[in-house]
Amino acid sequence: MSCRIVVLISGSGTNLQAIIDACKSVDYPGDVVGVIANKADAYGLTRAQLANIGNEALSHRDFESRELYDQALVKTIDNYQPDLIVLAGFMRILTPEFVQHYQGRLLNIHPSLLPKYQGLNTHQRAIDANDTEHGVSVHFVTEELDGGPVVLQAKVPVFDDDNAEDLAERVHEQEHRIYPLVVKWFCQKRLVMRNQQVLIDNAVLPATGYASED
């Protein structure tokens, strides 16, 4: 039975599109069954509609507190009976109760080589620090913001004449490559989080996640 994936977005949804495209492969073990945005004008909702995927907007502005919003979000997500929840540019800080409800089946992608540059404006921060490399991390979500254990990272070079937009474009290319791969591992039941550690094929990964020569 195919792994049921719900994707949460706030904007354009390019990582959502990468996962939707991956799911079209006959041997891909998952399907996106629902897309939920906290902004009604998020273009990712249109991407879902074009792919005939259930979608809805649930605006945080309609709720008096973060806790009430997350409670409604949980109910909305659970209507899709997901095996995995994927955060793809979902610009919300999640409550501990939300994170605990989906512990071990909640993935996020963050545009830095975690633990460096948690939070926002990561590309400019890497340039300002004169870093020679930057990148992206896919990690399990825990209650610590951008602090969950890393599954996989991809690195990109930082050139002397880069601006934040140049660097973001380079990072996005890697995001679209590694996020569908990590989702695939989860859906294959190869990937689990246990005791705040990531395991692939029952082997514990280092703090920087899975390393390959690809």
Side-chain angles (χ1 to χ4, degrees):
M1 184 156 172
S2 187
C3 177
R4 297 174 61 84
I5 305 161
V6 167
V7 183
L8 306 186
I9 59 167
S10 294
S12 154
T14 59
N15 275 303
L16 164 66
Q17 189 67 57
I19 294 169
I20 289 172
D21 291 345
C23 289
K24 293 175 184 175
S25 299
V26 291
D27 61 343
Y28 199 84
D31 283 302
V32 178
V33 296
V35 175
I36 302 166
N38 65 315
K39 297 179 179 179
D41 61 350
Y43 183 69
L45 292 173
T46 301
R47 295 180 189 275
Q49 291 160 12
L50 291 171
N52 295 312
I53 294 168
N55 61 90
E56 49 201 297
L58 185 70
S59 174
H60 56 278
R61 299 184 186 281
D62 295 338
F63 296 84
E64 293 181 0
S65 70
R66 193 176 297 276
E67 287 74 20
L68 287 173
Y69 177 74
D70 278 11
Q71 288 168 19
L73 184 58
V74 164
K75 289 180 181 177
T76 305
I77 293 169
D78 285 353
N79 285 336
Y80 292 97
Q81 299 179 297
D83 301 300
L84 173 66
I85 296 85
V86 171
L87 307 179
F90 189 62
M91 305 304 289
R92 297 280 302 163
I93 295 174
L94 299 166
T95 57
E97 291 76 18
F98 182 96
V99 173
Q100 288 163 11
H101 184 75
Y102 297 113
Q103 194 80 56
R105 52 194 184 112
L106 187 61
L107 290 172
N108 185 44
I109 194 162
H110 182 75
S112 79
L113 297 173
L114 291 171
K116 295 181 83 169
Y117 310 131
Q118 296 169 330
L120 302 175
N121 304 316
T122 61
H123 309 307
Q124 190 61 52
R125 288 158 69 190
I127 291 170
D128 292 345
N130 295 315
D131 289 352
T132 57
E133 63 180 18
H134 185 48
V136 57
S137 307
V138 178
H139 65 97
F140 278 102
V141 178
T142 61
E143 293 175 35
E144 179 188 354
L145 179 65
D146 298 328
V150 171
V151 179
L152 184 62
Q153 294 183 325
K155 297 178 181 179
V156 301
V158 183
F159 299 120
D160 291 342
D161 59 349
D162 273 343
N163 59 35
E165 289 75 24
D166 297 330
L167 197 49
E169 186 174 339
R170 211 170 294 132
V171 168
H172 282 151
E173 289 179 9
Q174 296 303 316
E175 290 181 13
H176 303 158
R177 185 176 68 85
I178 70 171
Y179 214 0
L181 178 59
V182 171
V183 170
K184 180 179 182 179
W185 290 343
F186 183 93
C187 290
Q188 289 172 326
K189 300 188 174 6
R190 296 178 57 198
L191 173 67
V192 296
M193 183 178 76
R194 192 178 301 145
N195 299 323
Q196 300 297 305
Q197 292 182 309
V198 178
L199 289 80
I200 287 186
D201 300 331
N202 294 314
V204 176
L205 296 186
T208 52
Y210 182 82
S212 75
E213 300 303 317
D214 294 347

